[in-house]
């Protein structure tokens, strides 16, 4: 029998945690033959709620779930972790400036990065979901100098999946007909969902749509503002869809992306497509042998260039702000 994979989930008692943990324990994160041990990391006030979720996990009698441990400090939570899903974050509250938000999250992701550096397994892979996800990932990575930077990623897969769904609806197809769509840049309102290289049932998506006004005025803002639309409709932010995207991201990272397609993930830039080296930006990516690779050689038209540049400029600003706060 296989040794269980240790999966640490922060924010385990939150709404994404509640949607995520059952998917992990059922085998959807890593595969139907891979046992997992869950390590739930919460703040002390939420440990009791996490215990309640753990009781429900027990009650599912998942054959692949080899154990659940609950912690309220990062050093224990990340000890031996092979996969870390950093979901818990400090949300922006009324009257909070962006600098305050970045600083508060620095106080979470800095210590967590340090704990990962000191105690996680050598093959640790980190996905940051908690916002501002790209910059939180950068902070955690900077606090983990002994862990290769490529192991720190941030989630834009939900944006990717939202874009697939919108494009399928527009073209009267299904998401299974769509390939090679890309989210570029930051997981924020400046993100750029790019269909110029995408295919709809084998045809170029931009040519199938053939409507630049729809792209600029409907598609891009609908994808970028979908989170707000969900809050408006549901009275709570996206949870199950966010958990689903986290499962997709880690599953593909570990098991590979299908031939002839790619996906989107925020990973440290190597300078590709003019994105400054080191910032954690979303790219078209494939996963091979357990590593993300940026898809190379795509031609970027003027429409795309200006939007990629705008989102990347925001990431550079965030990086400079956290640098100014001494968090990098
Ligand atoms: P909730 O407020 O329901 O849950 C967050 C949980 O994190 C709470 O239980 C809290 O106690 C815990 N937490 C806070 N600080 C912690 C720390 N230092 N260590 C461990 N746990 C800690 O939020 P939820 O709806 O689950 O969302 C979680 C995060 O995901 C938010 O930052 C949210 O903005 C972000 N999202 C990111 C998305 C993405 O696509 N990247 C989409 C969905 C979501 O909005």
């Amino acid at each position: 029998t296989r040794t269980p994979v240790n999966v640490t989930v922060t924010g385990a008692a939150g709404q994404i945690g509640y949607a995520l943990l059952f998917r992990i324990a059922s085998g959807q994160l890593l595969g139907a033959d891979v046992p997992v041990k869950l390590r739930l990391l919460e703040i002390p006030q939420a440990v009791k709620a996490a215990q309640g979720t753990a009781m429900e996990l027990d009650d599912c009698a998942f054959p692949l779930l080899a154990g659940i441990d609950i912690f309220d400090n990062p050093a224990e939570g990340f000890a031996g972790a092979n996969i870390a899903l950093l979901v818990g974050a400090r949300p922006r509250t009324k009257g909070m400036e962006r600098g305050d938000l970045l600083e508060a999250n620095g106080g979470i992701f800095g210590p967590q990065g340090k704990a990962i550096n000191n105690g996680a397994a050598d093959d640790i892979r980190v996905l940051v979901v908690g916002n501002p996800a790209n910059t939180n990932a950068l902070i955690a990575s900077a606090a983990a100098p002994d862990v290769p930077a490529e192991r720190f990623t941030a989630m834009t897969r939900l944006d990717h999946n939202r874009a697939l769904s919108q494009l399928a609806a527009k073209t009267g197809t299904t998401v299974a007909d769509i390939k090679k769509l890309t989210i570029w840049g930051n997981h924020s309102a400046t993100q750029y969902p790019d269909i110029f290289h995408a295919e709809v049932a084998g045809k170029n998506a931009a040519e199938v749509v053939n409507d630049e006004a729809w792209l600029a005025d409907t598609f891009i803002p609908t994808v970028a503002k979908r989170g707000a639309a969900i809050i408006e409709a549901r009275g709570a932010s996206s949870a199950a869809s966010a958990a689903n995207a986290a499962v997709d991201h880690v599953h593909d990272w570990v098991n590979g992306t299908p031939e002839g397609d790619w996906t989107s993930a925020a990973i440290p830039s190597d300078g590709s497509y003019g994105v400054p080296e080191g910032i954690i930006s979303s790219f078209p990516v494939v996963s091979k042998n357990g590593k993300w690779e940026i898809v190379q050689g795509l031609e970027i038209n003027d429409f795309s260039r200006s939007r990629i540049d705008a989102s990347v400029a925001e990431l550079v600003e965030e990086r400079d702000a956290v640098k100014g706060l001494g968090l990098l």
Side-chain angles (χ1 to χ4, degrees), residues 10-17 41-43 46 87-91 108 112 128-133 155-159 162 187 237-239 242:
T10 77
Q15 23 151 35
I16 294 175
L41 179 62
E42 259 295 351
I43 53 174
V87 179
R90 176 75 160 77
I108 295 174
Q112 290 185 354
V128 176
V129 175
N131 283 319
M155 190 166 94
T156 52
R157 186 62 171 262
L158 178 54
D159 308 301
R162 286 166 171 167
H187 168 68
S237 58
S238 321

Side-chain angles (χ1 to χ4, degrees), residues 15 301-302:
Q15 23 151 35
N301 63 20
D302 292 345

